[in-house]
Amino acid sequence: MFEPQAEPRLFGMPLGVDFAELLVEGLLARLTTKPPEALAKVEIYVNTTRMQRSVRRLFAARGARLLPQIRLLADIADDPTLDVPPAVDPLARRLELAQLVRAMLEKDQTFETPDAAFDLADTLAALLEEMQDEAVPFDALTKLDVSDHSEHWQRSQKFISLVIPFLEAGAELDRLGRMRAVVEALRTSWATNPPSHPILIAGSTGSRGTTRAFMRAVSKLPQGAVVLPGVDFDLPPDIWDKTGKDDQVEDHPQFRCQRLVDELGLSFDEIKNWAPRTVPVSDARNQLVSLALRPAPVTDAWLDEGPSLPTPTGATSAITLLEAPSTRLESLAIALRLREAAETGQTAALITPDQTLARRVTAALSAWNIVPNDSAGYRLDLTPPGRLLRQTAQMMGKPVAPETLLALLKHPLVWANNRRAHLATTRHLEMTLLRGGPPVLTKSACQRWAEDRETEDAGTLAWHDWLWSTLDALTAAQQSDLGAITQVHHDQTERLTRGPGDDETDHLWQKRAGEAALATMTKLHLASDHAGVFNPTEYARLIDALLAREEIRDPFFTHPDIMIWGTLEARVQGADLAILAGLNEGSWPAKPAPDPWLNRDMRKQAGLPMPEGKIGLSAHDFQQAISAKEVWITRATRDAEAETVPARWLNRLQNLLNGLQPDGIDALRAMKERGDAWIRLAQDYDQPRTELPPAPRPSPQPPVAARPQELWVTHVETLIRDPYAIYARHVLGLKPLKPLHAEANAALRGDVIHKILQAFISEFREELPANAEDILLRQAERFFERYVSWPATRAFWMEKFARAIPWFIQTEAVRRANASPDAFEADGARHMSAQNFMLKGRADRIDRDADGALVIYDYKTGQLPTAPQQKHYNKQLPLLAAIGAANGFEGFPSGHVKEVGYIGLGSDMKHARDVFEAGEIDAFWDRFEQLIGEYMEADKGYTARRAVFEERWDQDYDILSRYGEWDRTTEPTKLRVGS
């Protein structure tokens, strides 16, 4: 196929061409005079599976013929024909390293906690694989000079020095190490017995050391050749002589091509064009971008060569620059353009390394039933099987929290064959036991619930037994061999999906996601012999890591012309429209991943690639993608946290255009105007088609018969401040859901302190003991231990209450001199005959003096209400006094309430008293009757937020009243409701 030549055979394809199409055309053109079987002898190595499929499809489109052997470069590592030992299982290697890392972390936790052993082992394994790929001996790390580095890097080197002998003793190669060994074996074999058939390497730039070594070997074969993608033929040949060959230019897009050229003993201008008669999409654009991306040391060429460039307006006529004010608008504008492409028959590709942005665009496209063909697929840990495996792993070895259990029970795969019955039982459990319950659910409490419900729903006990047999196995997990804990996790998760009847169908392992999840669990089980012991927390992190790295691809039912590519897939494929999205620093190019083992200087000493190498790869991806027929460049000027910084290549392009006055400025303005038009379209899409008027401030007027006939004294303040809340709760019967997650809030603290004081005063009703403070302190410790499940909160609350104990005991002696304790948590009521209304109340404590008069106390653990608040809103104590004055507290006959008071046990310890004058309680009750009487009038409305304490005072029913569409300045609108 090729004429003999002494030099290595190196080809390239220019920017702005369809690489796969021209590769096939060039190959067929070179075999025109050869017999049909000659094509079948050709070996082609490509770098991605998508490229492999594209080349096969292009050959098939040209009619029936024998096809070449199209292989992946990565498959070299699996070559079974050479005498190279098989590669070690990568998971087994990481688990072995995790044991060593865990031992290190247990002795020195300055790196991380022991739970992070697998994460650190993963980064260490990646480092060791990189060393094998670059042919850097392991002992090179032990020879590094780290005397001038911090103690962290010295500890890192010391640990690696201990790991290396373990690896060398095993003499097992990682996959990349075996690939390197295979390449070396092939090169040795080819030196004496080179293959006679053509071998091509197409689409790779040799960014990896082993790939580059293979490319060097193939290029020197009699019928071997390398075809580079995206070669910038507009780059002056002497550019590299001016900049040198060190790492200062590694971030240039053509650096990898130049490095391969140097290693082959060639010069950059000796790269031959694989398809010399091919015309790029836009020579002018290629020249503009080439100049914009010149290495930093020679950007002075902008002044010399910029004026001689073709007209910038023509070079950028097919480029749209979209700088959206938010990621939401960026993704929506992209989706709108992809929708247009689908309607007009264009092939369009969204190219971005930002998977979050890609998911946003996919979600937006779903509005028009467009499912893009995403090369990245979707992560296994986000699929239903992956989520369920993560949920059950995170429950292992821990108590059952209500919110965790409810999330598990509502997973769509749990009891998948009878979801209706399962969800009905789950709903009942949630509403009667989980919400408002303790922070930890016990089996005994759930057993009692199941027994109570069994009478009305047979099967509840069987459901309970199935659930808790699984939960018991998960929560009982302890530190053990990885194989054992993996088996428990596998079996119990599977049992959850089968339900109480142990259905034979394995719902967990169905479809592509289920098959991938089963394969992952199987690999973990097979590799568990290399792992040692894991505790449940370490195991949960391991499961998260393993599932997150697996990707699921389902090419069915996707749109054939709308693609989402990573930057790797975009290198050698073409589309009518290329959308380069997320072009911000930190996204494209991405920030270098933190390396806990080697810093920059250590990598350079060891001969490992610098971080700039990855930036250079991203630059090459950008240069190729921007050469498409039509190009969109998009970014968001602000993300969720702060202003963003445009990608360095976009910044360079804009700076160059701004310097090419006046045409460059006009070209840049036109690019932005095209983008702004789509931003306006996206903003308009987000606007409602019809503008609805804001909701009025409601003041509903229900029928008098439907209005509440009784209230508790604690609801009277709500009636005064926010009558709408009374309407919603007592007329509509709407009650806010109790929280699922128990919180250590002020209500809980107050409730516990009430219990402490009630127990103490009840025990010493007659006389306080001499050591009252110590006794109360010990009682408080017992109650806080029983009712407060959070250790830190318990300690804080206990310390705060302990400071109040001396004051409480001292003031209690004064209270005892006034009256004696008689009742606690006493319920009472008073009927209002004129309105047929009942007021109910509960007194925290009632004392009785020698004359039989009552003294009513209310414990306050927060701030005491101020005098103005008590005058206008807070009527709790006077109302309790009114109930007591009417003998409303059962068992406490007395027509006289002497006084009421608050006992403040919060930050402001205070005993606030209110002594009543003759007739004062009766006058207060008359005013209260008048208030209730007004609300028994048909035209009286329950106005929303009539007199709230402060504007930010959130209420349970603000959403129902649509607060926010109106404010306190809005006049209430009376609304007749009901019949």
Side-chain angles (χ1 to χ4, degrees):
M1 186 170 79
F2 298 113
E3 295 295 328
Q5 65 180 54
E7 299 82 13
R9 197 173 285 107
L10 185 62
F11 295 93
M13 288 199 203
L15 297 156
V17 299
D18 189 326
F19 184 90
E21 179 78 28
L22 292 184
L23 176 67
V24 172
E25 286 186 6
L27 181 58
L28 293 178
R30 286 169 171 80
L31 294 175
T32 302
T33 61
K34 303 294 182 182
E37 65 271 17
L39 184 59
K41 297 178 182 179
V42 176
E43 283 186 77
I44 304 176
Y45 287 92
V46 297
N47 57 344
T48 67
T49 303
R50 187 179 284 265
M51 175 66 171
Q52 186 183 45
R53 291 197 301 266
S54 297
V55 173
R56 284 175 178 164
R57 185 182 69 251
L58 290 168
F59 273 115
R62 284 165 171 76
R65 67 181 72 242
L66 296 173
L67 295 181
Q69 304 168 59
I70 307 171
R71 298 173 177 169
L72 293 176
L73 282 167
D75 291 344
I76 300 173
D78 301 322
D79 191 331
T81 62
L82 299 171
D83 186 21
V84 178
V88 67
D89 177 20
L91 179 55
R93 170 57 54 84
R94 281 159 171 76
L95 292 173
E96 289 174 343
L97 291 174
Q99 293 189 69
L100 301 176
V101 172
R102 186 187 296 113
M104 175 196 71
L105 295 180
E106 288 173 350
K107 294 181 179 179
D108 181 3
Q109 295 190 17
T110 56
F111 272 95
E112 257 286 8
T113 61
D115 291 342
F118 183 80
D119 296 334
L120 276 175
D122 193 27
T123 60
L124 178 58
L127 171 62
L128 298 174
E129 288 173 351
E130 186 180 18
M131 295 180 68
Q132 295 174 63
D133 183 47
E134 298 292 336
V136 176
F138 287 151
D139 61 0
L141 299 184
T142 65
K143 300 174 183 177
L144 299 178
D145 181 9
V146 295
S147 57
D148 293 334
H149 296 291
S150 68
E151 186 180 350
H152 170 87
W153 303 113
Q154 296 175 25
R155 289 195 303 267
S156 170
Q157 184 191 44
K158 182 179 179 180
F159 176 73
I160 293 174
S161 301
L162 297 175
V163 171
I164 287 173
F166 160 77
L167 296 174
E168 292 176 338
E172 288 183 301
L173 296 170
D174 292 315
R175 180 175 173 81
L176 288 177
R178 187 179 195 276
M179 184 174 177
R180 185 79 189 201
V182 168
V183 168
E184 294 299 329
L186 287 173
R187 190 166 62 174
T188 302
S189 173
W190 289 347
T192 57
N193 187 24
S196 58
H197 62 277
I199 299 179
L200 296 180
I201 299 178
S204 175
T205 57
S207 58
R208 287 185 173 275
T210 299
T211 305
R212 203 162 58 252
F214 188 53
M215 294 168 75
R216 291 197 302 268
V218 168
S219 68
K220 297 175 183 178
L221 292 175
Q223 289 297 309
V226 172
V227 184
L228 299 173
V231 176
D232 185 359
F233 288 107
D234 294 309
L235 199 63
D238 62 343
I239 193 71
W240 307 106
D241 297 330
K242 296 179 181 178
T243 59
K245 305 297 190 300
D246 56 21
D247 59 357
Q248 65 176 325
V249 292
E250 278 199 41
D251 61 352
H252 189 269
Q254 299 295 313
F255 177 79
R256 269 133 301 282
C257 296
Q258 176 59 32
R259 180 173 55 186
L260 180 62
V261 166
D262 289 343
E263 292 175 354
L264 293 176
L266 302 174
S267 60
F268 198 82
D269 58 350
E270 289 183 274
I271 302 175
K272 300 176 183 177
N273 195 331
W274 175 260
R277 290 185 298 276
T278 302
V279 178
V281 170
S282 173
D283 276 323
R285 192 195 311 165
N286 287 354
Q287 293 176 45
L288 176 68
V289 174
S290 175
L291 182 59
L293 300 184
R294 289 286 173 86
V298 292
T299 48
D300 58 309
W302 288 12
L303 295 174
D304 299 332
E305 300 179 32
S308 62
L309 286 175
T311 304
T313 305
T316 61
S317 60
I319 299 179
T320 296
L321 176 57
L322 187 146
E323 294 183 299
S326 67
T327 53
R328 156 72 181 169
L329 284 175
E330 180 188 13
S331 57
L332 182 55
I334 292 171
L336 289 168
R337 181 62 183 91
L338 291 175
R339 176 193 177 185
E340 182 182 74
E343 291 178 345
T344 57
Q346 275 185 301
T347 58
L350 168 62
I351 304 169
T352 181
D354 186 345
Q355 289 303 306
T356 301
L357 176 60
R359 287 196 294 270
R360 286 195 183 104
V361 173
T362 300
L365 287 172
S366 66
W368 308 298
N369 295 322
I370 298 174
V371 181
N373 189 344
D374 191 344
S375 65
Y378 43 94
R379 285 169 31 181
L380 178 58
D381 62 328
L382 301 180
T383 65
R387 293 201 313 271
L388 184 59
L389 286 167
R390 288 166 51 211
Q391 285 176 268
T392 50
Q394 289 163 4
M395 295 182 72
M396 298 181 78
K398 299 176 182 177
V400 180
E403 66 274 15
T404 304
L405 176 60
L406 189 60
L408 179 71
L409 293 176
K410 291 190 176 183
H411 190 285
L413 289 180
V414 174
W415 199 6
N417 66 325
N418 195 351
R419 291 290 292 167
R420 182 185 294 273
H422 169 69
L423 290 177
T425 306
T426 298
R427 178 67 172 171
H428 191 276
L429 176 69
E430 175 187 357
M431 301 305 296
T432 57
L433 185 61
L434 299 184
R435 288 195 175 274
V440 174
L441 181 65
T442 61
K443 184 177 181 178
S444 58
C446 197
Q447 176 78 28
R448 290 192 296 271
W449 162 83
E451 291 171 351
D452 293 341
R453 191 169 189 260
E454 179 71 17
T455 56
E456 60 182 76
D457 186 6
T460 303
L461 278 172
W463 183 88
H464 166 272
D465 294 342
W466 154 75
L467 174 63
W468 276 94
S469 63
T470 302
L471 294 178
D472 284 342
L474 291 173
T475 56
Q478 298 178 351
Q479 181 166 298
S480 62
D481 291 338
L482 180 60
I485 197 170
T486 301
Q487 192 65 54
V488 170
H489 182 215
H490 176 284
D491 293 345
Q492 299 309 318
T493 307
E494 186 178 276
R495 188 161 183 262
L496 277 173
T497 66
R498 292 183 173 182
D502 281 337
D503 180 29
E504 294 298 323
T505 305
D506 291 331
H507 301 280
L508 182 61
W509 315 120
Q510 291 182 349
K511 301 182 180 179
R512 288 178 180 265
E515 292 168 358
L518 179 59
T520 301
M521 296 298 293
T522 302
K523 285 190 294 185
L524 178 59
H525 198 277
L526 293 175
S528 61
D529 292 341
H530 302 266
V533 297
F534 270 67
N535 63 44
T537 302
E538 291 173 322
Y539 178 77
R541 292 186 66 162
L542 173 62
I543 288 296
D544 285 348
L546 293 181
L547 295 175
R549 67 182 59 185
E550 297 293 330
E551 295 177 346
I552 309 301
R553 293 179 176 84
D554 192 351
F556 302 106
F557 310 114
T558 60
H559 198 288
D561 295 331
I562 306 301
M563 286 83 67
I564 297 179
W565 292 340
T567 54
L568 178 61
E569 289 81 9
R571 294 177 192 174
V572 289
Q573 298 186 93
D576 297 332
L577 168 65
I579 300 178
L580 286 60
L583 268 160
N584 284 323
E585 288 291 316
S587 175
W588 192 357
K591 296 178 181 177
D595 187 344
W597 303 106
L598 299 179
N599 61 23
R600 179 186 174 85
D601 182 67
M602 294 167 74
R603 293 184 69 87
K604 189 171 184 178
Q605 288 186 55
L608 291 170
M610 292 287 100
E612 287 79 6
K614 292 184 178 180
I615 295 176
L617 282 174
S618 294
H620 192 213
D621 298 337
F622 171 80
Q623 189 176 21
Q624 292 180 95
I626 202 175
S627 304
K629 295 179 182 177
E630 181 184 351
V631 177
W632 267 37
I633 300 173
T634 77
R635 60 178 292 263
T637 59
R638 184 179 180 85
D639 59 17
E641 298 176 355
E643 297 288 334
T644 59
V645 178
R648 60 196 68 188
W649 314 302
L650 175 57
N651 204 20
R652 277 171 162 254
L653 182 60
Q654 294 187 84
N655 288 340
L656 177 58
L657 288 172
N658 278 321
L660 298 176
Q661 302 182 16
D663 292 340
I665 295 177
D666 292 340
L668 183 59
R669 183 186 303 111
M671 290 164 56
K672 291 183 176 181
E673 288 174 352
R674 289 190 286 271
D676 290 344
W678 283 92
I679 292 175
R680 289 192 295 272
L681 185 62
Q683 290 171 330
D684 182 64
Y685 178 84
D686 261 353
Q687 295 299 317
R689 298 290 80 112
T690 57
E691 187 171 344
L692 298 176
R697 182 183 182 182
S699 183
Q701 299 170 314
V704 173
R707 303 190 182 202
Q709 300 299 308
E710 62 179 39
L711 284 178
W712 286 82
V713 293
T714 51
H715 291 165
V716 173
E717 181 176 0
T718 305
L719 179 65
I720 298 172
R721 290 188 180 278
D722 188 12
Y724 185 85
I726 298 296
Y727 163 76
R729 185 181 184 94
H730 296 279
V731 178
L732 300 182
L734 300 176
K735 297 181 181 179
L737 281 176
K738 296 178 181 178
L740 184 62
H741 177 72
E743 296 179 351
N745 53 24
L748 175 63
R749 177 171 173 264
D751 184 58
V752 175
I753 291 178
H754 277 58
K755 286 181 170 64
I756 294 169
L757 296 178
Q758 178 179 341
F760 176 77
I761 300 298
S762 297
E763 183 177 356
F764 302 104
R765 190 188 301 255
E766 301 299 330
E767 184 179 1
L768 291 176
N771 57 342
E773 292 184 16
D774 293 337
I775 294 174
L776 181 55
L777 182 64
R778 289 195 296 272
Q779 282 189 345
E781 290 173 345
R782 290 196 299 272
F783 275 84
F784 277 120
E785 181 71 28
R786 178 179 178 183
Y787 293 105
V788 182
S789 303
W790 303 269
T793 302
R794 183 165 59 242
F796 176 71
W797 285 357
M798 185 62 223
E799 176 64 25
K800 190 172 183 179
F801 182 67
R803 292 198 300 267
I805 287 177
W807 173 87
F808 177 79
I809 296 299
Q810 292 170 12
T811 56
E812 180 64 17
V814 177
R815 286 187 288 273
R816 295 291 180 94
N818 184 35
S820 300
D822 204 2
F824 310 96
E825 299 293 326
D827 288 336
R830 182 170 178 176
H831 187 257
M832 192 180 295
S833 56
Q835 287 81 21
N836 190 25
F837 179 86
M838 181 72 73
L839 176 67
K840 295 182 176 181
R842 177 173 295 160
D844 289 345
R845 170 178 166 182
I846 299 178
D847 289 8
R848 189 189 297 269
D849 69 2
D851 297 328
L854 303 183
V855 178
I856 300 174
Y857 293 116
D858 188 67
Y859 296 122
K860 284 291 184 184
T861 54
Q863 289 185 341
L864 299 183
T866 63
Q869 288 172 349
Q870 293 184 57
K871 178 179 179 180
H872 297 289
Y873 308 114
N874 191 297
K875 306 296 183 180
Q876 181 177 352
L877 286 182
L879 289 172
L880 288 174
I883 293 173
N887 294 322
F889 291 106
E890 186 177 353
F892 300 95
S894 174
H896 178 53
V897 176
K898 180 179 180 181
E899 67 178 73
V900 294
Y902 288 110
I903 302 176
L905 296 166
S907 301
D908 183 18
M909 290 175 282
K910 185 178 180 181
H911 183 175
R913 301 173 58 197
D914 190 359
V915 180
F916 295 109
E917 301 292 338
E920 188 175 353
I921 294 178
D922 292 337
F924 175 81
W925 181 255
D926 291 341
R927 292 195 298 273
F928 179 67
E929 281 190 322
Q930 182 180 357
L931 173 68
I932 297 301
E934 290 179 2
Y935 277 98
M936 291 301 177
E937 298 175 4
D939 62 346
K940 179 67 174 180
Y942 290 81
T943 303
R945 298 176 71 92
R946 190 188 74 85
V948 294
F949 177 56
E950 54 187 11
E951 197 63 27
R952 61 182 178 88
W953 191 50
D954 294 332
Q955 293 292 288
D956 293 325
Y957 303 100
D958 280 347
I959 294 178
L960 185 65
S961 68
R962 298 177 71 168
Y963 174 64
E965 297 183 46
W966 53 268
D967 59 30
R968 63 186 180 86
T969 64
T970 307
E971 285 296 321
T973 300
K974 292 186 176 182
L975 305 168
R976 289 278 184 180
V977 294
S979 56

